[in-house]
């Protein structure tokens, strides 16, 4: 598939056992809740049962009188005067004047056992004055909606907008009206998606310790220990460097563990309890009520198309609520919405709206799935109207290397066309379909990401290598970093140990997010290894008494670069390491940067469904993910990302949704009611890895995590349409909703 | 509430602990015996991350009280390998990349072992339904199902 050079690799592209596999199949790996400390206390959090309420009074006297209770904290224990996102984080950590959503923390307590802490939490009396609330984004944007927070709007919001609009986005190019006039078919439709949760199986957990001197430590399950450090210290008014954060193994994150929730509470409780460590482990219901979720969206899309499928113009207007704080990913949704297509004229409008729900967190390709649901559904509808093949229509309009994207920047080397062609060639496309069955296709896009990155490599005395990285390993990245490092050094994969280290050990690293770890840390690890190779060549040169430039590195050893350099047998990494103490000291390599050369990622999914006309239940018969990885370093974990992303998207499409009662309380805060896909819901998920190498990475890596969650939403809607004739424009496509849509479609 | 003294057998060894009668077996394993391999994903019997066997029966240890383990045999993930020799399921999970974050893995392994003890030759559908009580959010189950089927095939060969 490679468009440019074909390179042969010794290790890259192979499938060795992951280095942390043994720990993880034996139960030895230590996750957030798996650590205890001497003198440890347990924390519990008191949460608002109301969607919107003024906090009149908090009385903790009964709790404090309970034996074993060592500390109670409320907002009064936090510093004042924070602004911007720091204030948002603090307010979300612990409510101030008002509880802004069902589940919002209002107090926390630490006691000598988990049960005692929970008892004490129940004894904390909170008096509320319940206020009117608003949950749905279209309700929240109405001018007469309950106002969540005065003055939360930023400078982008024009005068006169409804009070819950806090950010307004408007960009585009070309003459949109002329584009629509030129089209043979113009269609405009409205779509809605519900909030869903990342659904990581490991609830948030941390063990925090903070002394009166402002020095602290934390063990926490997180995607990013430096983010935890910065956010916790900001919220508590501490010096950033005085908190040392060690990441545990992490039981899934998907974006939801890139921010803080109860972590500052454990530190605040610890400080109040004389510096005793405090462990807080969330229940599943706390996770669903108060962490994560993604935004819900209401979207209008209008597209113009010629008879031959050529797109002439497109317009999107997206409204998203991301909870009681600014930050719904409406900008990302708009950037991604039309990214796969060449468009002469395009307009994007977005509203970030407040509602009485938990503060949204990133969720795999934040925003992209919602926008794709609307745009890819509408394109499918237009193809049917014009009798066009949906895959050919996409090929006709697909962006290619060097094209200007719908949101502005020019694409570097991209592989959308290769991805669509690989899809067309796949046998799943010719599988026969029976009655009540349908096939849906959709594409998806994610930018991929670089981010602040710091990596260190050090040579050990026996010639093996340790690499310190700052991005927690959520899905095999230790393996991919070890493969790239060993490939670069010319040594066995097993000789590299990759350690995910605490904040004290490296410069700032962004989290494992945005599909960046294998791209950015991989690139930095290669650079660090190259630096060490340079030093090893210098050591060999000085021993041989020749010029360092006359030494080259081959197959894990220094050797003379040519006949003129002199006759010396290769000096292996082990030999150099064995005597480094007497040849100049430790040998290491470092790399710090925000690596450039990010390679964008496109995917195309094809799904076959069967819809039971009696019940409206949709069964996934066949599922295909085709995506450009740039280069698959460890193909098994690339496939794993494709499969996992697709299944999260399937859940979002068919079952998952935040369901609120009239009272604004979340009604499905356990896994029984918030139903994620289970093994018996699914077939095997077929994958095809397209490799159009990213020239911005030494091995061509793009990043593969995010894109896979985007196409399933529209692909399944399109398949259901083909199976039933019913077009669903609202998620989730649950059996009752599908049944109703089939009924409507039959009535015409 | 006063604590109760519980004597039980965990992974073949006698184990004792003091349990608050409200504590689950999962709490006791994790917090009193230091066996943190069993995970709590939900605490309500919906995710299977806490799977153990009790006198050979597969249970969610978050739904069993610690005091109920008295006099019973408990098997957890920590007892699955035979010393340094991994159970074929453990080997196959690594080989097939059937784990990403690995948090669900102990529960899947314990549940899959219970399946293969009852049914050494399950179909893909049987594997999927048996494991429907174990949630994995990372893998989409594909590689987990493959690993279980492959381990079953290996174990049948070994037994033959
Ligand atoms: S923790 Fe027991 S089933 Fe989820
Ligand atoms: S591997 Fe992460 S939940 Fe299964």
């Amino acid at each position: 598939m490679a468009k440019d050079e074909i390179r042969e690799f010794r290790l890259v592209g192979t499938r060795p056992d992951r280095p942390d596999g043994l720990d993880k199949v034996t139960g030895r790996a230590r996750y957030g809740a798996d650590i205890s400390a001497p003198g440890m206390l347990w924390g519990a959090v008191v949460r608002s049962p109301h969607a919107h309420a003024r906090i009149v009074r908090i009385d903790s006297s009964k709790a404090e009188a309970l034996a074993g209770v060592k500390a109670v904290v409320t907002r009064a224990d936090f510093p004042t005067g924070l602004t911007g996102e720091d204030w948002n984080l603090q307010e979300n950590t612990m409510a101030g004047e008002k509880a802004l959503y069902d589940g919002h923390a209002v107090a926390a307590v630490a006691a000598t056992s988990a049960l005692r802490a929970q008892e004490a939490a129940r004894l904390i009396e909170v008096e509320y004055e319940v206020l009117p609330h608003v949950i749905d984004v279209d309700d929240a944007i109405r001018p007469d909606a309950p106002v969540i927070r005065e003055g939360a709007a930023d400078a982008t919001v024009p005068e006169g907008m409804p009070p819950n609009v806090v950010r307004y986005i408007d960009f585009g190019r070309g003459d949109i009206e002329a584009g629509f006039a030129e089209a043979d078919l113009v269609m405009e439709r409205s779509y809605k998606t519900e909030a869903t949760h990342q659904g990581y199986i490991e609830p948030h957990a941390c063990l925090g310790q903070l002394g009166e001197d402002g020095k602290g430590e934390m063990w926490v399950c997180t995607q990013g220990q430096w983010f935890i450090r910065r956010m916790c210290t900001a919220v508590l008014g501490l010096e950033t460097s005085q908190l040392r954060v060690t990441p545990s193994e992490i039981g899934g994150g998907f974006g939801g563990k890139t921010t803080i929730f109860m972590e500052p509470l454990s530190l605040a409780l610890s400080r109040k309890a004389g510096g005793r460590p405090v462990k807080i482990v969330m229940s599943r219901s706390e996770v669903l009520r108060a962490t994560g979720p993604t935004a819900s969206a209401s979207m209008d899309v209008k597209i113009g198309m010629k008879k031959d499928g050529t797109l002439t113009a497109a317009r999107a207007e997206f409204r998203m609520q991301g909870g009681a704080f600014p930050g719904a990913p409406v900008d990302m949704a708009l950037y991604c919405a039309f990214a796969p297509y060449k468009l002469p004229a395009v307009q994007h409008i977005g509203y970030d709206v407040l509602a009485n729900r938990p503060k949204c967190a990133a969720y795999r390709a934040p925003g992209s799935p919602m926008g794709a649901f609307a745009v890819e559904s509408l394109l499918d509808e237009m193809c049917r109207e014009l009798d066009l093949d949906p895959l050919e229509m996409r090929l006709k309009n697909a962006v290619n290397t060097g094209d200007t994207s719908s949101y502005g920047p020019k694409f570097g080397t991209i592989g959308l066309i290769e991805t669509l062609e690989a899809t067309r060639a796949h046998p799943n496309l010719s599988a026969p379909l029976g009655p009540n069955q349908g096939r849906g296709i959709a594409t998806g896009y994610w930018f991929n990401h670089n981010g602040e990155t710091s990596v260190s490599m050090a040579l050990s005395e026996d010639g093996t290598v340790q690499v310190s990285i700052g991005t927690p390993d959520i899905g095999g990245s230790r393996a991919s970093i070890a493969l790239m490092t060993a490939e670069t050094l010319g040594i066995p994969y097993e000789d590299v140990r990759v350690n995910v280290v605490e904040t004290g050990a490296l410069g700032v690293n962004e989290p494992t997010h945005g599909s960046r770890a294998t791209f950015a840390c991989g690139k930095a690890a290669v650079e660090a290894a190259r630096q060490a190779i340079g030093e090893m060549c210098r050591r060999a040169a000085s021993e041989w008494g020749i010029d360092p430039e006359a030494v080259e590195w081959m197959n894990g050893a220094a050797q003379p670069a040519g006949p003129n350099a002199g006759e010396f047998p290769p000096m292996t990494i082990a030999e150099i390491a064995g005597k480094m103490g007497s040849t100049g000291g430790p040998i290491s390599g470092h790399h710090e940067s925000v690596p450039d050369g990010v390679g964008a990622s496109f995917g195309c999914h094809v799904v076959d469904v069967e819809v039971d006309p009696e019940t409206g239940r949709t069964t996934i018969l066949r599922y295909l993910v085709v995506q450009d990885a740039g280069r698959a370093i460890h193909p098994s974990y690339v496939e794993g990302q494709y499969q996992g992303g697709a299944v999260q998207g399937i859940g979002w499409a068919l079952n998952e949704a935040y369901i609120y009662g009239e009272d604004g309380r979340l009604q499905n805060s356990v896994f029984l009611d918030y139903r994620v896909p289970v093994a018996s819901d699914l077939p095997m998920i077929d994958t095809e890895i397209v490799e159009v190498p990213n020239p911005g990475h030494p091995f061509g890596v793009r990043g593969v995590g995010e894109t896979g969650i985007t196409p399933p939403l529209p692909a399944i809607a399109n398949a259901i349409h083909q199976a039933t004739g019913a077009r669903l424009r609202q998620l989730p496509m649950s059996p009752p909703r599908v049944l109703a849509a089939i009924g409507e479609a039959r009535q015409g | 509430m006063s604590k109760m003294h519980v004597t039980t057998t965990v992974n073949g060894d006698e184990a004792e602990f003091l349990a608050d009668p409200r504590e689950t077996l999962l709490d006791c394993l994790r917090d009193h015996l230091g066996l943190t391999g069993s995970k709590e994903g939900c605490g309500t019997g919906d995710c299977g991350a806490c799977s153990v066997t009790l006198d050979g029966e597969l249970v969610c240890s978050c739904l069993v009280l610690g005091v109920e383990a008295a006099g019973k045999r408990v098997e957890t993930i920590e007892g699955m390998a035979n010393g340094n020799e991994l159970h074929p399921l453990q080997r196959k999970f690594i080989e097939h990349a059937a784990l990403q974050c690995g948090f669900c893995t102990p529960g899947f392994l314990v549940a899959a072992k219970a399946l293969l003890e009852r049914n050494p030759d399950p179909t893909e559908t049987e594997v999927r339904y048996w494991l429907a009580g174990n949630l994995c959010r990372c893998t989409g189950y594909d590689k987990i199902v493959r690993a279980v089927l492959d381990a079953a095939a290996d174990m049948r060969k070994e037994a033959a």
Side-chain angles (χ1 to χ4, degrees):
Chain A
M1 233 359 103
K3 260 201 317 209
D4 49 13
E5 58 181 331
I6 308 278
R7 278 165 65 190
E8 285 297 323
F9 298 111
R10 188 172 50 93
L11 294 171
V12 162
T14 62
R15 303 174 186 243
D17 290 351
R18 65 192 281 177
D20 50 340
L22 184 59
D23 283 352
K24 286 180 176 166
V25 299
T26 52
R28 284 205 293 266
R30 290 181 306 179
Y31 293 82
D34 296 345
I35 284 273
S36 299
M40 183 179 92
L41 303 172
W42 291 79
V45 180
V46 181
R47 297 183 182 278
S48 166
H50 304 295
H52 197 191
R54 192 167 306 287
I55 298 168
V56 180
R57 191 179 56 93
I58 301 177
D59 181 356
S60 61
S61 53
K62 284 195 189 122
E64 279 168 279
L66 195 66
V69 171
K70 301 296 175 190
V72 172
V73 295
T74 64
R75 183 64 172 275
D77 296 284
F78 287 78
T80 55
L82 275 62
T83 56
E85 186 57 14
D86 286 348
W87 186 87
N88 291 333
L89 287 167
Q90 188 185 53
E91 177 78 3
N92 191 45
T93 298
M94 184 69 92
E97 288 165 18
K98 293 200 294 182
L100 297 170
Y101 56 90
D102 166 39
H104 198 169
V106 294
V109 52
T112 47
S113 75
L115 286 169
R116 188 53 54 93
Q118 285 155 20
E119 266 170 70
R122 281 192 293 272
L123 290 175
I124 294 179
E125 288 166 11
V126 186
E127 190 187 319
Y128 297 98
E129 175 198 338
V130 177
L131 302 169
H133 65 270
V134 61
I135 296 292
D136 178 74
V137 61
D138 289 324
D139 293 340
I141 207 171
R142 295 224 305 257
D144 58 347
V147 179
I148 315 268
R149 178 147 53 93
E150 300 281 0
D154 73 13
T156 59
V157 179
E159 224 26 63
M161 286 248 173
N164 289 326
V165 175
V166 289
R167 204 158 45 113
Y168 174 74
I169 295 156
D170 181 352
F171 66 96
R173 67 174 142 78
D175 184 339
I176 181 123
E177 289 315 323
F180 288 133
E182 209 191 320
D184 295 310
L185 176 67
V186 176
M187 264 197 196
E188 183 168 15
R189 296 281 185 266
S190 300
Y191 302 85
K192 276 188 110 154
T193 63
E194 228 339 311
T196 54
H197 196 275
Q198 294 80 349
Y200 31 80
I201 309 300
E202 182 197 28
H204 296 265
C206 70
L207 174 59
Q209 187 276 324
L210 181 63
E212 207 37 63
D213 57 1
K215 291 186 173 58
E217 307 235 347
M218 176 170 284
W219 164 269
V220 57
C221 66
T222 178
Q223 291 173 246
Q225 52 273 43
W226 281 269
F227 269 32
I228 292 284
R229 183 180 72 158
R230 178 174 59 71
M231 292 175 186
C232 282
T233 52
V235 159
L236 292 165
L238 303 171
E239 273 178 27
T240 307
S241 297
Q242 297 303 337
L243 181 65
R244 195 173 120 192
V245 180
T246 305
S248 69
E249 293 304 321
I250 173 173
F254 314 109
K257 290 179 184 166
T258 56
T259 185
I260 51 167
F261 296 103
M262 76 309 172
E263 292 83 358
L265 303 181
S266 81
L267 295 171
L269 286 165
S270 172
R271 182 167 54 187
K272 242 184 155 171
R276 288 175 73 171
V278 176
K279 178 165 167 172
I280 303 183
V281 181
M282 279 197 187
S283 68
R284 178 53 52 183
S285 151
E286 288 182 287
V287 170
L288 286 166
R289 285 168 73 205
T291 76
T294 185
S296 66
S298 164
M299 302 170 285
D300 308 323
V301 179
K302 183 176 177 182
I303 295 177
M305 194 186 275
K306 289 194 181 159
K307 280 205 183 80
D308 68 353
T310 307
L311 298 174
T312 60
R315 181 181 189 278
E317 182 172 322
F318 293 175
R319 299 162 293 276
M320 285 192 188
Q321 69 72 32
F325 301 89
V330 62
D331 43 0
M332 307 279 206
L334 289 166
Y335 299 155
C336 293
F338 300 113
Y341 305 111
K342 287 191 280 224
L343 276 165
V346 59
Q347 188 187 13
H348 308 80
I349 293 181
Y351 300 85
D352 182 357
V353 184
L354 300 188
N356 292 110
R357 302 208 200 194
K359 185 178 195 300
C360 82
Y363 181 20
R364 208 169 198 151
S368 183
M370 299 84 147
F373 175 61
V375 170
E376 297 287 301
S377 292
L378 181 54
L379 286 173
D380 192 76
E381 195 168 348
M382 296 177 78
C383 285
R384 294 198 174 270
E385 180 86 16
L386 292 173
D387 204 17
L388 297 167
D389 179 282
L391 185 54
E392 297 305 327
M393 184 282 299
R394 286 176 171 86
L395 262 166
K396 185 178 220 52
N397 295 287
V399 286
N400 204 346
T401 302
D403 284 342
T404 301
S405 67
S406 55
Y407 58 96
K410 250 191 192 4
F411 284 116
T413 306
I414 50 170
L416 174 58
I417 290 174
E418 289 81 349
T419 300
L420 293 170
E421 282 169 349
T423 307
R424 183 163 58 184
H426 195 278
N428 280 22
L429 268 89
S430 40
L433 292 172
N436 302 315
Q437 298 184 353
R439 177 165 298 150
I441 175 173
T443 60
Y445 173 69
W446 185 248
F447 320 88
N448 291 329
H449 183 54
N450 46 8
E452 283 178 282
T453 307
S454 169
V455 167
S456 224
M457 186 219 100
L459 193 57
S460 303
E461 298 88 324
D462 59 355
T464 61
V465 160
Q466 68 176 51
V467 181
S468 302
I469 60 169
T471 43
D473 180 354
I474 315 185
S477 56
R478 283 185 184 92
S480 72
I481 302 293
L483 281 167
M484 289 183 274
T485 305
E487 183 82 54
T488 306
L489 290 168
I491 61 176
Y493 165 74
E494 294 73 19
D495 284 4
V496 180
R497 171 151 185 159
V498 178
N499 297 313
V500 180
V501 299
E502 45 107 346
T503 52
L506 283 177
V508 174
N509 272 276
E510 266 188 35
T512 303
H513 70 167
S515 293
R516 79 177 209 92
T518 303
F519 167 76
C521 284
K523 189 168 178 174
V526 168
E527 289 300 327
R530 286 178 180 163
Q531 202 182 77
I533 287 172
E535 180 58 21
M536 290 190 285
C537 288
R538 275 189 289 280
R539 301 277 171 107
S542 96
E543 179 138 341
W544 292 331
I546 64 174
D547 204 53
E549 271 72 68
V551 178
E552 65 179 8
W553 190 259
M554 282 285 285
N555 303 322
Q559 62 179 39
N564 296 340
E567 286 266 333
F568 303 100
M571 194 182 290
T572 64
I573 191 168
E575 290 172 64
I576 297 171
K579 50 192 168 193
M580 64 186 169
S582 57
T583 58
I587 295 175
S588 58
H590 307 280
H591 187 77
E592 279 92 20
S593 70
V594 178
D596 54 8
V598 176
S601 157
F602 290 94
C604 182
H605 292 200
V606 183
V607 58
D608 291 356
V609 304
E610 178 167 330
V611 181
D612 182 342
E614 303 295 317
T615 63
R617 180 174 196 268
T618 301
T619 305
I620 308 287
L621 302 172
R622 234 171 261 107
Y623 203 101
L624 170 66
V625 180
V626 184
Q627 188 180 317
D628 176 17
R631 176 96 60 206
I633 300 298
H634 191 308
S636 299
Y637 291 101
V638 173
E639 292 160 2
Q641 290 296 320
Y642 290 5
Q643 292 165 335
V647 169
Q648 285 188 316
I650 290 169
W652 199 341
L654 293 178
N655 309 311
E656 293 176 37
Y658 266 47
I659 300 168
Y660 284 92
E662 286 293 311
D663 56 5
R665 290 180 188 166
L666 183 64
Q667 293 190 324
N668 56 337
S669 70
V670 291
F671 271 142
L672 188 64
D673 302 324
Y674 184 91
R675 193 183 179 289
V676 304
V678 302
S680 56
D681 294 335
L682 297 161
M684 292 297 183
I685 306 294
D686 303 325
T687 57
E688 174 124 350
I689 302 174
V690 174
E691 292 189 313
V692 176
N694 168 22
H697 184 278
F699 296 113
V701 167
R702 292 182 183 278
V704 295
E706 320 283 307
T707 308
I709 197 173
T710 290
L713 285 56
I716 293 170
N718 296 343
I720 290 176
H721 177 265
Q722 199 192 355
T724 65
R727 179 65 68 179
L728 280 103
R729 300 192 186 88
Q730 186 169 1
L731 296 184
M733 296 177 281
S734 54
R737 206 173 260 159
V738 172
L739 207 54
I742 293 174
E744 276 166 37
R746 282 205 186 120
Q747 282 165 16
Chain B
M1 239 173 251
S2 71
K3 297 203 172 180
M4 293 175 72
H5 181 245
V6 178
T7 307
T8 178
T9 308
V10 179
N11 300 325
D13 295 330
E14 192 183 272
E16 291 177 72
F17 53 86
L18 287 177
D20 184 298
R22 296 167 294 179
E23 282 176 316
T24 66
L25 174 57
L26 178 62
D27 294 332
C28 295
L29 288 170
R30 292 178 51 84
D31 298 332
H32 300 323
L33 297 177
L35 295 172
T36 55
S38 306
K39 304 299 180 195
E40 179 164 327
C42 67
T44 51
D46 299 317
C47 78
C50 62
S51 298
V52 301
T53 59
L54 200 59
D55 279 350
E57 274 304 306
L58 180 63
V59 296
C60 293
S61 62
C62 72
L63 296 183
V64 176
L65 291 173
V67 294
E68 291 181 84
K72 300 231 166 81
R73 273 181 304 115
V74 184
E75 295 283 338
T76 73
I77 185 65
E78 286 91 347
M80 193 159 170
N82 183 6
N84 278 330
E85 194 194 328
L86 293 182
H87 187 279
L89 280 162
Q90 293 173 306
R91 271 201 330 263
K92 290 296 174 187
F93 264 58
I94 298 178
E95 190 181 311
H96 284 266
L99 50 142
Q100 284 177 31
C101 78
F103 192 79
C104 68
T105 308
F108 269 97
L109 287 168
V110 169
K113 179 164 174 266
L115 166 66
L116 299 188
E117 277 161 11
R118 281 160 188 74
N119 178 359
D121 192 6
T123 63
E124 181 192 328
T125 305
E126 284 169 338
V127 171
R128 287 185 179 279
Y129 276 88
W130 181 271
L131 295 178
N134 291 79
L135 300 182
C136 174
R137 191 59 158 172
C138 299
T139 64
Y141 306 102
D142 181 299
K143 292 182 188 299
I144 292 176
V145 174
R146 283 178 207 275
V148 173
L149 289 169
D150 196 15
D154 260 29
M155 287 166 70
R156 288 196 303 276
K157 240 183 274 161
E158 270 169 44

